[in-house]
Amino acid sequence: MLNTIILANGEIPVHKNAIEILKNGDQIVCCDGAIQNLKSLGFSPNIIIGDLDSISEKDKIEYQNILFEDKNEEVNDLQKAINYCISNNWYDIYILGGFGLREDHAIANLSIMLNYAKICFEKDTPLNIQMITNTGTFIPFFDTTIFKSYKGQAVSIFSFTKESKLTFIGLKYPVKERVFNYFWEGSLNEALTDQFTIECSRGEFIIFQTF
Amino acid sequence: MLNTIILANGEIPVHKNAIEILKNGDQIVCCDGAIQNLKSLGFSPNIIIGDLDSISEKDKIEYQNILFEDKNEEVNDLQKAINYCISNNWYDIYILGGFGLREDHAIANLSIMLNYAKICFEKDTPLNIQMITNTGTFIPFFDTTIFKSYKGQAVSIFSFTKESKLTFIGLKYPVKERVFNYFWEGSLNEALTDQFTIECSRGEFIIFQTF
């Protein structure tokens, strides 16, 4: 399977773990507004996607063979990038630059990731998608999951469904069959060993783990 | 009414509008981890609050008369600061430094603001609370509201209840009695004039408006 990196137009990746993931990508789908960031990191895009309003004339010429114009006003550049990946059956996706700068974009981007993951989960399509920031990783999940960790790793679990009960096993603050009404209630936990389990009835969740 | 600033331990305020709000505060409640940021901005705290693990011995001596120790492990420093404000009947609260750095802290902080606002709304206590970042303002609301704006202002509306129907009047992309299942669906809108209206049935919402 190809590892696909999507570089969105938020904060530039600088953490060594984020750069490592960028390096290990088999291909890079770059949102048009992020092309300068990608260049400054010393990487080349395989595809540049967006409405192409955010790219310089010079870059348009330099990258003319890999520009993919999508003028759809209903979706943002990250959605265009993910749509492009899925239409090519690229199901291992690491989103970088999804956070930072405009905070409402960051929240929307996280929700976009969850939305695509949910659609694929319901279709039994094996979409592996995660968002890498400069401090850690966001991963959507929908059912009981065992996560790799290390002792002392900071872990936050966000439940997007107020009906689902969650049980944390192997975290410093365990909970049992608890419904979370607010995001803060599942946040700022800590892994005790090299793995932990989140048991849940069906729902929509995102986990954050620090590097 | 006193305008109270809470400085949390995230990204330091640098935008001129954020600094202006800091300047216009009548008093500053500083989370202990944020004291260096506050000093670097040239402001003095009225209260420093937290478990006091994140403050230097030098600062502990300098600020010994205004330290408020709260060792409660169940709540984070922002919650300690808001609790302190509410217990003093300080109901006009501007949170700065709530975003940035750890992204899971940012999401938790936003949810904490919503949670307190909801509790006060249900008790008919007039809590005015908002979070100011370096790009704009997050404000919780629970019922139909008219918002001040300017032509072209970027606006995102996040619905935390999947049952509530929303109608946007005066925004570039109007909607009518729509339920939002994902945060991205109400994001990245734009004000057409100097005000707009969000009509909603009871629910839990946060609006973001750029400066």
Side-chain angles (χ1 to χ4, degrees):
Chain A
M1 290 284 278
L2 287 170
N3 282 337
T4 303
I5 306 295
I6 294 176
L7 187 65
N9 194 18
E11 191 175 62
I12 192 166
V14 291
H15 191 285
K16 65 178 175 48
N17 294 24
I19 297 297
E20 196 62 27
I21 285 162
L22 183 52
K23 270 187 193 162
N24 290 333
D26 296 309
Q27 53 191 2
I28 300 172
V29 176
C30 187
C31 295
D32 62 353
I35 183 62
Q36 289 304 320
N37 284 352
L38 187 65
K39 284 168 83 167
S40 75
L41 290 167
F43 291 86
S44 294
N46 296 80
I47 297 289
I48 298 174
I49 197 160
D51 57 14
L52 306 186
D53 284 351
S54 318
I55 182 169
S56 69
E57 290 307 314
K58 187 168 161 287
D59 282 339
K60 272 189 187 166
I61 294 166
E62 182 176 350
Y63 296 113
Q64 57 184 303
N65 295 328
I66 57 166
L67 294 180
F68 187 88
E69 189 176 20
D70 183 342
K71 288 279 187 200
N72 184 355
E73 280 201 356
E74 298 294 308
V75 295
N76 75 7
D77 283 354
L78 178 60
Q79 286 164 308
K80 290 171 187 177
I82 298 173
N83 282 338
Y84 187 88
C85 291
I86 288 178
S87 69
N88 283 284
N89 299 323
W90 300 338
Y91 290 120
D92 286 292
I93 300 173
Y94 297 83
I95 302 164
L96 300 176
F99 257 77
L101 309 183
R102 279 269 298 277
E103 292 84 4
D104 58 336
H105 286 210
I107 294 167
N109 285 345
L110 207 55
S111 153
I112 283 165
M113 178 176 71
L114 180 67
N115 196 172
Y116 277 99
K118 182 69 185 287
I119 291 166
C120 287
F121 177 78
E122 285 180 347
K123 286 184 184 168
D124 271 333
T125 307
L127 179 66
N128 297 314
I129 192 167
Q130 49 187 278
M131 189 178 291
I132 316 294
T133 73
N134 284 318
T135 72
T137 305
F138 286 101
I139 303 175
F141 66 103
F142 306 97
D143 228 331
T144 295
T145 308
I146 298 170
F147 293 93
K148 288 200 163 114
S149 59
Y150 58 83
K151 183 172 162 28
Q153 183 180 43
V155 173
S156 289
I157 295 107
F158 302 111
S159 174
F160 290 75
T161 38
K162 294 183 181 181
E163 306 78 38
S164 304
K165 289 180 180 168
L166 287 142
T167 297
F168 301 167
I169 300 162
L171 294 180
K172 185 174 175 183
Y173 307 105
V175 302
K176 193 166 181 190
E177 295 191 0
R178 183 165 155 189
V179 170
F180 292 97
N181 286 307
Y182 289 94
F183 285 146
W184 66 266
E185 295 171 277
S187 71
L188 315 190
N189 217 318
E190 196 180 306
L192 294 176
T193 62
D194 61 351
Q195 71 171 45
F196 60 90
T197 303
I198 309 293
E199 288 181 354
C200 47
S201 48
R202 285 269 180 130
E204 298 180 12
F205 315 99
I206 292 181
I207 191 165
F208 177 84
Q209 295 174 267
T210 48
F211 287 138
Chain B
M1 291 285 277
L2 287 170
N3 282 337
T4 304
I5 306 296
I6 293 176
L7 186 65
N9 195 19
E11 191 174 63
I12 192 166
V14 290
H15 190 284
K16 66 179 173 49
N17 295 23
I19 298 296
E20 198 61 29
I21 285 161
L22 184 52
K23 270 187 192 162
N24 290 331
D26 296 308
Q27 53 191 4
I28 300 173
V29 176
C30 186
C31 295
D32 63 352
I35 183 62
Q36 289 303 321
N37 285 352
L38 187 65
K39 284 167 84 166
S40 75
L41 290 166
F43 291 87
S44 294
N46 296 81
I47 297 290
I48 299 174
I49 197 161
D51 58 14
L52 307 186
D53 284 352
S54 317
I55 182 169
S56 68
E57 289 307 313
K58 188 168 160 286
D59 282 339
K60 271 188 186 166
I61 294 165
E62 182 176 349
Y63 297 113
Q64 57 184 304
N65 296 326
I66 57 166
L67 294 181
F68 188 87
E69 188 176 19
D70 183 343
K71 289 279 188 199
N72 184 355
E73 280 201 353
E74 298 294 309
V75 296
N76 76 7
D77 283 353
L78 178 60
Q79 287 163 306
K80 290 171 187 177
I82 298 174
N83 283 338
Y84 188 87
C85 291
I86 289 179
S87 68
N88 283 283
N89 299 323
W90 299 338
Y91 290 120
D92 287 294
I93 300 173
Y94 298 83
I95 302 164
L96 300 176
F99 258 76
L101 309 185
R102 278 270 300 275
E103 293 83 6
D104 58 335
H105 286 211
I107 295 167
N109 285 345
L110 207 56
S111 155
I112 284 166
M113 178 175 72
L114 180 68
N115 196 173
Y116 278 99
K118 182 69 186 288
I119 292 166
C120 288
F121 177 78
E122 286 182 344
K123 286 185 186 168
D124 271 332
T125 307
L127 178 67
N128 297 314
I129 192 166
Q130 48 187 277
M131 190 178 289
I132 317 294
T133 73
N134 283 318
T135 72
T137 306
F138 286 100
I139 303 176
F141 66 103
F142 306 96
D143 228 330
T144 295
T145 308
I146 299 170
F147 292 93
K148 290 200 161 109
S149 60
Y150 59 82
K151 183 172 159 36
Q153 182 180 44
V155 174
S156 289
I157 295 105
F158 302 110
S159 174
F160 289 74
T161 38
K162 293 184 180 179
E163 307 79 35
S164 304
K165 289 179 179 170
L166 287 143
T167 297
F168 302 165
I169 300 162
L171 293 180
K172 185 173 175 183
Y173 307 105
V175 303
K176 194 167 181 191
E177 296 190 359
R178 183 163 155 191
V179 170
F180 292 97
N181 287 306
Y182 289 94
F183 286 145
W184 67 265
E185 294 172 276
S187 71
L188 314 190
N189 217 318
E190 195 179 307
L192 295 176
T193 62
D194 61 351
Q195 70 171 44
F196 60 89
T197 303
I198 310 293
E199 288 181 354
C200 48
S201 49
R202 285 270 180 128
E204 297 181 14
F205 314 101
I206 292 180
I207 191 165
F208 177 84
Q209 295 174 268
T210 48
F211 287 137

